[in-house]
Amino acid sequence: FMWQKMIYLATSSTFIASVAASALKPGKDIGAALPPESFQSFACLWVSVSAAICIVLSYPSMNQWSTWICMTLVGGFGIFGYPLWKDEVLDWLEPIFVIRSDTKKRFPDQQRQTVRSVSWALGVLCAITGLWDIILHPPTAQSVEVKLLAQWQAGTSPTETDLKLSLANLLNRSSDTLKIEAMFAAERFAMFATADNAPTSKLGIAQAWIGVTTDPTGKAKMAERKLEPGFPGLVQLPDCKKIMRAKPEEKPVAAEEEAAKLRREQLHALRVGCKWWTDQIPAEGAQHEKTIDEKKPAAGGLPDDMLHTW
């Protein structure tokens, strides 16, 4: 909305103006240590809490009851447990910061104070606007048309139950929430998804699986469970269409570099999986992918940033 953009622009502008006003007419001596003003503290706290809530709401994998309980406990202890930890924190900070409350050392300036007050007020309004946008317009599952992929290591042949249990452990969820859609023994990989097939669940598990396959710790855990950490973690439907339209690459030669061989094998596996996927899509329901941008350059039918990203 235009009014949202105006609020965000006004907030940024007044913040810059308040910094400039404080630099031109400082509110205190260089050596003076004064506590923040009450409304300033409230504005900073409100923006911080709002940002934390927006982050949790924006990621379905984080938007769980356990996250909200932890945030409530931490916030409740910080507010209602203030008398319990006040003295300990002050004793710990006293050697680092000089804590004073002598407001007489503050230099009054009405113009500077007005600009700062407007900046704080707009900061609070900006945070409220962001919360409003996230709550009333939650992130939609724009990446629903993806398939999650997992390849097991050569020499292993896991059953569907074992593979689902390994994936559930990596994603830190119950194996009942996952389902194996297809297994390709010759290419040593499987396509999996959420059991409930809900759009928000699909988006959440896709984000969680990307986090596992791109994190060094997650890759190490995949290797421990006999899964290939270098195999692409997901493929989108438009990419599958490109792969199917592209001409299959020739068989590898003996002198070919190892990286090129790996890429060729991954492309072949993805082609097999994409063939299975596209065969499952009814012809009358396959028109929506045309709305997705397919202008990115492809290498052998696959975007360059897909292979070896994981």
Side-chain angles (χ1 to χ4, degrees):
F1 298 100
M2 181 57 66
W3 62 267
Q4 279 183 273
K5 296 179 180 179
M6 295 302 297
I7 290 177
Y8 298 151
L9 178 62
T11 303
S12 303
S13 301
T14 54
F15 173 76
I16 295 175
S18 65
V19 173
S22 299
L24 294 175
K25 297 181 179 180
K28 61 181 182 65
D29 287 328
I30 296 179
L34 299 176
E37 300 178 36
S38 300
F39 191 65
Q40 180 183 7
S41 300
F42 169 77
C44 293
L45 181 62
W46 180 268
V47 171
S48 300
V49 173
S50 300
I53 295 175
C54 286
I55 291 174
V56 174
L57 293 177
S58 298
Y59 292 90
S61 58
M62 297 176 60
N63 190 6
Q64 301 177 7
W65 63 268
S66 56
T67 304
W68 293 109
I69 288 180
C70 290
M71 292 178 64
T72 303
L73 291 177
V74 171
F77 178 75
I79 296 174
F80 300 105
Y82 177 73
L84 301 176
W85 54 264
K86 174 185 176 183
D87 294 336
E88 286 74 11
V89 172
L90 291 180
D91 291 340
W92 178 60
L93 293 177
E94 190 171 7
I96 305 174
F97 300 105
V98 178
I99 301 174
R100 300 178 182 175
S101 60
D102 190 1
T103 56
K104 295 180 180 179
K105 295 184 178 180
R106 194 183 306 276
F107 300 151
D109 186 274
Q110 186 62 36
Q111 185 178 8
R112 182 195 67 238
Q113 190 64 21
T114 300
V115 174
R116 297 178 68 207
S117 299
V118 172
S119 175
W120 300 334
L122 285 177
V124 173
L125 180 60
C126 181
I128 294 175
T129 304
L131 282 175
W132 170 85
D133 193 15
I134 293 295
I135 294 174
L136 295 186
H137 306 89
T140 57
Q142 298 177 357
S143 300
V144 169
E145 295 305 322
V146 302
K147 291 295 183 183
L148 304 182
L149 313 174
Q151 185 182 49
W152 53 89
Q153 296 177 356
T156 61
S157 182
T159 63
E160 181 175 328
T161 302
D162 293 338
L163 181 60
K164 187 164 66 171
L165 183 61
S166 297
L167 294 173
N169 290 335
L170 289 170
L171 292 167
N172 194 25
R173 62 176 64 205
S174 172
S175 60
D176 297 335
T177 62
L178 301 177
K179 66 177 179 181
I180 304 297
E181 295 186 313
M183 295 183 68
F184 307 92
E187 291 75 23
R188 298 183 290 106
F189 84 100
M191 290 182 170
F192 67 98
T194 54
D196 59 7
N197 209 35
T200 53
S201 299
K202 287 183 178 182
L203 180 59
I205 194 176
Q207 292 174 339
W209 185 238
I210 290 175
V212 171
T213 55
T214 56
D215 181 66
T217 303
K219 291 182 178 181
K221 292 181 179 179
M222 290 179 67
E224 292 176 0
R225 290 169 173 78
K226 307 300 181 182
L227 297 177
E228 290 287 358
F231 193 74
L234 59 81
V235 61
Q236 296 183 357
L237 183 58
D239 298 324
C240 268
K241 296 294 185 180
K242 292 179 182 179
I243 293 173
M244 298 305 299
R245 289 195 300 263
K247 181 181 178 181
E249 296 185 5
E250 299 177 356
K251 294 183 179 180
V253 297
E256 193 173 29
E257 295 183 359
E258 194 66 28
K261 291 182 179 179
L262 176 61
R263 180 181 178 279
R264 191 187 300 272
E265 293 175 358
Q266 291 179 348
L267 275 173
H268 172 70
L270 290 174
R271 180 179 294 274
V272 173
C274 287
K275 177 64 169 59
W276 173 88
W277 185 12
T278 53
D279 288 344
Q280 310 300 312
I281 301 175
E284 63 274 11
Q287 297 300 320
H288 63 280
E289 72 268 12
K290 293 182 180 180
T291 60
I292 304 175
D293 183 17
E294 297 186 11
K295 297 181 180 180
K296 293 186 295 183
L302 189 69
D304 293 332
D305 59 351
M306 176 166 290
L307 294 179
H308 308 299
T309 298
W310 286 269

